[in-house]
Amino acid sequence: MRLTDCHNIADFRRLAKQRLPWPVFDYIDGAADDELTKARNTSAFDECDLVPEVLAGVGAIDPSLSILGRRSALPLILSPTALQRVFHWQGERAVARAAEKFGLWFGISSLATVSIEEIGSLVSTPKMFQLYVHKDKGLNRSMIARCKAAKFDCITLTVDTIVSGKRERCMRSGFTSPPKFTPSSALSYAIKPRWALDYVLREKFALPNLDTHVSAGTGEAVSIADYFNTMLDPTMTWATAEAIRQEWGGSFCLKGIVSARDARRAVEIGADAIMVSNHGGRQLDGSRAPFDALREIVDAVGGEIEIICDGGIRRGTHVLKALGAGADCASGGRLYLYALAAAGQAGVERALTLLKDEIERGMKLMGVTTPQQLDRERLRWR
Ligand SMILES: Cc1cc2nc3c(=O)[nH]c(=O)nc-3n(C[C@H](O)[C@H](O)[C@H](O)COP(=O)(O)O)c2cc1C
């Protein structure tokens, strides 16, 4: 299978599976416990039908919109995800450059393998930094200061990761960051020599936004669950989130909200946006899918805060359904990660080309010329 054989996100997933050692593939593809929530995040879209209206004059359409004060060429954000250097040697740089080429927002994780400073100077496209609240307050403060200096457009505080989800595929494979080559894992790496050579011979793996403060950045192999459970602060509250928003002073988003009451609290602490998200099903299995939760959240706080539907998106029509249900924008992780793993920047660009095409075709077939024309009148739940 080659890159030109990829015609949708599922094809990129197959190609990524072919190219990656299985512990790495399972880290991307896997989720918590029985992975029910991960599956529901996507299948929720299947229970809702689009209602096209015809003869609408769709010769010129414009899928762009404003999100968090910046123009985005599509109603789609590339969500922040960890450890991209492990998936492909081009890592975050590839995603940043592809996002810039397509005029999109993208995010880098606290666990990014490229520094805040480098990403800040590499691309001018709007970018968010995803913050985890560490027990080490000095680390939190230093990350916020670095984001200010590097002119990031938004800080996105992830609030659904108070402890690690139980990611059983990672427990079975022993996946660590950086990957540890043990006798039992060696075979999985040896049978993917192209990945292994790129990993060993290219730039060394690092977590440059953490390495001045915690062992997770020193090159010592730790499981992601250990990082979450030992480094992150489980005592954080709404007051912590509000203090971080004040210290940052710029656009502020909370990521990992699925309850209407929490959405209201987000408005009360002055957040500019929420990502309705369950971390791609990687945290609390059995928790509500973003698309299922969306309508009650839109009814509670729509118009008072920007609402981003994050997770499960694999098709342009999923984006259109999220907008119809009242989201201001959609976002996703695996939709570009499979492509990054499959073919680096060229892969991400091909995935974005396909998604752009699906969004534009979908808008034309729906009979709308702007994203704002999509509303609940154009959807029916079965
Ligand atoms: C491999 C992987 C790593 C991720 N790392 C982070 C992270 O470091 N911080 C974070 O807030 N979310 C992280 N996420 C969650 C994504 O930001 C996003 O919420 C999720 O991917 C959405 O679901 P989707 O993959 O179905 O689009 C990660 C997701 C994946 C798949």
Side-chain angles (χ1 to χ4, degrees):
M1 189 178 187
R2 288 162 313 174
L3 184 56
T4 47
D5 298 323
C6 293
H7 300 291
N8 58 36
I9 304 302
D11 289 338
F12 284 110
R13 180 180 176 277
R14 272 189 289 279
L15 187 54
K17 191 169 188 181
Q18 235 176 55
R19 299 207 167 165
L20 290 177
W22 55 263
V24 180
F25 176 78
D26 277 342
Y27 172 68
I28 300 175
D29 192 57
D33 303 18
D34 297 310
E35 304 191 355
L36 298 175
T37 290
K38 181 198 163 199
R40 178 69 195 171
N41 286 352
T42 298
S43 67
F45 291 105
D46 300 342
E47 279 164 33
C48 173
D49 295 326
L50 292 163
V51 183
E53 290 184 1
V54 298
L55 304 178
V58 290
I61 61 156
D62 179 7
S64 74
L65 43 64
S66 167
I67 186 84
L68 286 158
R70 295 285 308 264
R71 205 73 201 158
S72 172
L74 294 173
L76 183 66
I77 294 173
L78 309 184
S79 305
T81 58
L83 308 183
Q84 292 176 14
R85 164 72 181 84
V86 179
F87 314 150
H88 190 278
W89 63 271
Q90 295 171 350
E92 284 83 359
R93 293 182 191 107
V95 177
R97 290 198 178 104
E100 179 164 63
K101 215 161 171 175
F102 283 77
L104 302 184
W105 272 91
F106 77 106
I108 62 162
S109 164
S110 285
L111 293 167
T113 52
V114 174
S115 73
I116 293 169
E117 292 74 17
E118 183 180 340
I119 291 293
S121 60
L122 185 72
V123 288
S124 60
T125 204
K127 42 200 163 290
M128 56 175 63
F129 180 75
Q130 176 271 320
L131 184 71
Y132 283 126
V133 176
H134 299 85
K135 287 177 186 159
D136 179 342
K137 301 293 169 251
L139 174 57
N140 301 330
R141 274 196 299 275
S142 106
M143 283 180 165
I144 294 170
R146 290 172 70 179
C147 287
K148 279 187 196 169
K151 300 204 166 27
F152 268 64
D153 300 275
C154 176
I155 279 193
T156 295
L157 179 67
T158 297
V159 289
D160 59 13
T161 312
I162 214 82
V163 293
S164 174
K166 185 165 179 260
R167 303 179 188 173
E168 295 178 7
R169 292 201 225 178
C170 289
M171 295 168 116
R172 284 194 198 96
S173 73
F175 178 79
T176 56
S177 153
K180 193 170 46 183
F181 299 98
T182 61
S184 61
S185 72
L187 177 66
S188 68
Y189 295 100
I191 58 176
K192 306 289 177 185
R194 189 163 148 190
W195 179 93
L197 286 176
D198 278 340
Y199 186 76
V200 173
L201 299 179
R202 308 259 184 189
E203 187 184 336
K204 196 171 170 312
F205 173 90
L207 295 173
N209 303 311
L210 295 180
D211 57 8
T212 49
H213 288 261
V214 294
S215 63
T218 59
E220 180 190 319
V222 292
S223 78
I224 294 298
D226 282 346
Y227 162 79
F228 286 146
N229 293 337
T230 59
M231 308 291 173
L232 302 191
D233 183 359
T235 67
M236 89 174 167
T237 62
W238 286 95
T240 319
E242 185 167 8
I244 288 171
R245 181 190 71 71
Q246 280 174 3
E247 180 164 348
W248 162 241
S251 283
F252 184 68
C253 175
L254 286 179
K255 176 171 183 287
I257 304 274
V258 283
S259 123
R261 279 212 293 256
D262 277 350
R264 169 59 52 206
R265 292 181 186 112
V267 172
E268 282 162 9
I269 66 155
D272 300 285
I274 50 175
M275 290 173 95
V276 178
S277 175
N278 53 37
H279 216 110
R282 299 161 78 81
Q283 286 297 106
L284 178 64
D285 197 34
S287 70
R288 203 151 164 74
F291 187 63
D292 286 327
L294 199 53
R295 279 175 292 170
E296 61 180 295
I297 290 180
V298 169
D299 291 343
V301 297
E304 294 181 73
I305 194 167
E306 292 189 359
I307 299 170
I308 300 160
C309 180
D310 173 68
I313 306 266
R314 301 291 183 268
R315 287 283 185 189
T317 48
H318 297 163
V319 174
L320 302 188
K321 288 178 184 181
L323 296 177
D328 294 287
C329 191
S331 70
R334 295 183 185 87
L335 58 82
Y336 74 86
L337 283 182
Y338 295 133
L340 173 69
Q345 186 174 339
V348 180
E349 287 183 13
R350 186 170 171 93
L352 294 178
T353 303
L354 295 175
L355 287 168
K356 177 174 189 290
D357 193 48
E358 288 186 11
I359 290 169
E360 291 179 348
R361 181 185 299 103
M363 285 176 66
K364 289 178 188 164
L365 291 171
M366 279 295 286
V368 298
T369 56
T370 66
Q372 291 74 22
Q373 290 165 9
L374 290 162
D375 60 17
R376 279 187 213 164
E377 259 312 296
R378 313 302 300 277
L379 302 180
R380 291 289 181 281
W381 274 263
R382 292 182 182 180

